[in-house]
Amino acid sequence: MTPISRSSRIETIGVVGTGAMGRGIAQIAALAGLKVRLFDTNPAAAGAARDYLADTFAKLTAKGKLDDIAARTALAAVSGAQTLAEFADCDLVVEAIVEKLDAKRALFRELETIVSGRCVLASNTSSLSITAIAAGCTDPSRVAGYHFFNPVPLMKVVEVIDGLRSDPAAGDALIDLARRMGHTPVRAKDMPGFIVNHAGRGMNTEGLRIADEGVASFVDIDRVMREQAGFRLGPFELLDLTALDVSHPVMESIYHQFYEEPRFTPSPITATRLAGGLIGRKAGEGFYRYVDGKQQVPPEAPAPTALPPRVWISKRHPQAHDAVQTLVTQAGVPLDTGATPAADALIVVTPFGLDATTAALDERLDATRVVALDALFPVVGAQRRTLMTTPATTRTARDTAHALFATDGVPVTVIRDSTGFVTQRVVATIVNIGCDIAQRQIATPQDIDLAVTLGLGYPRGPLALGDALGAQTILTILRNLYAVLGDPRYRPSPWLARRAQLGLSLTQCDAADTDSADDAHHHPHTSHPEEPSL
Ligand SMILES: NC(=O)c1ccc[n+]([C@@H]2O[C@H](COP(=O)([O-])OP(=O)(O)OC[C@H]3O[C@@H](n4cnc5c(N)ncnc54)[C@H](O)[C@@H]3O)[C@@H](O)[C@H]2O)c1
């Protein structure tokens, strides 16, 4: 621990590595009134970055988003350095150089001989351990992670990461500075993927697994996740945007860093597509094709129109039963309210975390007439519905069910049998991983939800999403998935299982930690990252 406080205000910042990330960090720092020094080993790069900032400020001024004086003041505050020796007066140096441990360690070692004892050294690494970078320094307590997202000025969240030997004051100073720059800081322990890249494993890996099982096409999975579950992008649109040359190695790296954790298992689908160059939007072809930069989406076939003669609805889930009954009544199709289905009735089940086959067998129903409707999100007033069949379901049963649930004009996606449809498996996986991040005390529940909404653009954070859909429902889905598939990928996090059973919010820390007057003492925000909560 250094005797010199690092909590004092940061006024001069050095940025090393002036590529995509370094430029963005320089931009928000200069606009927040800091003095900014730029250095890059490529002699032309620092100058190019300053020109880029001049250009960006001019564009912002032209759009009326920045006044002329502020633009000129900000640009005047940015200077290129010929050598690192010009960083001697920096209160903070942020590195955004090549993603290599040796290079980052060597840089920080050199900076230590130049800057004052109170200067904080921060790394923008997305995949390396902050503790490992700091271990190369004489004073590792001055090192912390400062993980911005691309493009920095638009992605308004930054992860502040404490390494094992980080002085909490270094992170506190970075938190304060993030706010001055108009960003929302979240604080994380030094664990692979920190918060955002850890929480982001659920959507992509489960989406890929569903596609790999032949349940639905890429475009159908995306449609369901967007229109039924309310996400801005489906997993394959997202993968096309980030491109597989970036996201496939990240999937592999996080999986291996957590020692082959089944929740993060990558997919052979992306490995093959990466090898074939179908990496995404920037290559003109990924999961979608792009013509003149425009995503090509195959049209959906119109819904069939022939309705079933009558419909029998499972009462296993009373709320879902009532919702389906509303739809059937609205469609003007007779209900079969018998204890068992009549011989000509279409049979509708509404399982949670089960496939249509298991649901049919559980209730001793005729699988040839069984269809399953996904009722995790409200089916009445929905923007899309998902229907699935058992392998024995007849074409007539499938098509009349499709017609039935599309009579009000809502598009219906028909998928093959899947343990938990599309939304149930993907959403439960997202919530479960978010819960496990909380369980591991990598960040506070509030910071987990903030990081995910701002960093991944999800409509809600994983914990709030679990609460909104019902923690008990999510737990049921996962337990059923685990029971049917026997895959530890779906084992519920203790954080979820305990809170669901106790009827607590998933955003709630242990009451004993939050009740007491000195609760901040046990808060992951302010406690030493490796200290157990007592
Ligand atoms: N691009 C992203 O989406 C993103 C997001 C978050 C974090 N990051 C991380 O930010 C860092 C930079 O990424 P980027 O996308 O801006 O890279 P980039 O390739 O655009 O820029 C890196 C710059 O660093 C310079 N450089 C390399 N080694 C150097 C050294 N030893 N000293 C000084 N300058 C050096 C290069 O000349 C280049 O200008 C990496 O650690 C990366 O993992 C990137």
Side-chain angles (χ1 to χ4, degrees), residues 16-22 39-42 45 95-99 103-104 107 124-126 147-150:
V16 187
T18 58
M21 298 305 289
F39 177 79
D40 197 292
T41 39
N42 171 354
E95 72 77 16
I97 66 167
V98 60
E99 186 74 339
K104 291 189 194 286
L107 170 67
N124 186 47
T125 181
S126 15
H147 184 219
F148 288 91
F149 296 83
N150 193 19

Side-chain angles (χ1 to χ4, degrees), residues 366-379:
D366 172 4
T368 64
R369 291 183 286 139
V370 164
V371 294
L373 189 74
D374 181 5
L376 177 60
F377 292 89
V379 292

Side-chain angles (χ1 to χ4, degrees), residues 228-252:
Q228 201 177 328
F231 285 74
R232 211 151 41 98
L233 294 173
F236 301 102
E237 293 162 316
L238 200 65
L239 285 168
D240 267 5
L241 209 60
T242 43
L244 292 184
D245 57 338
V246 176
S247 44
H248 180 76
V250 172
M251 282 192 252
E252 289 195 329

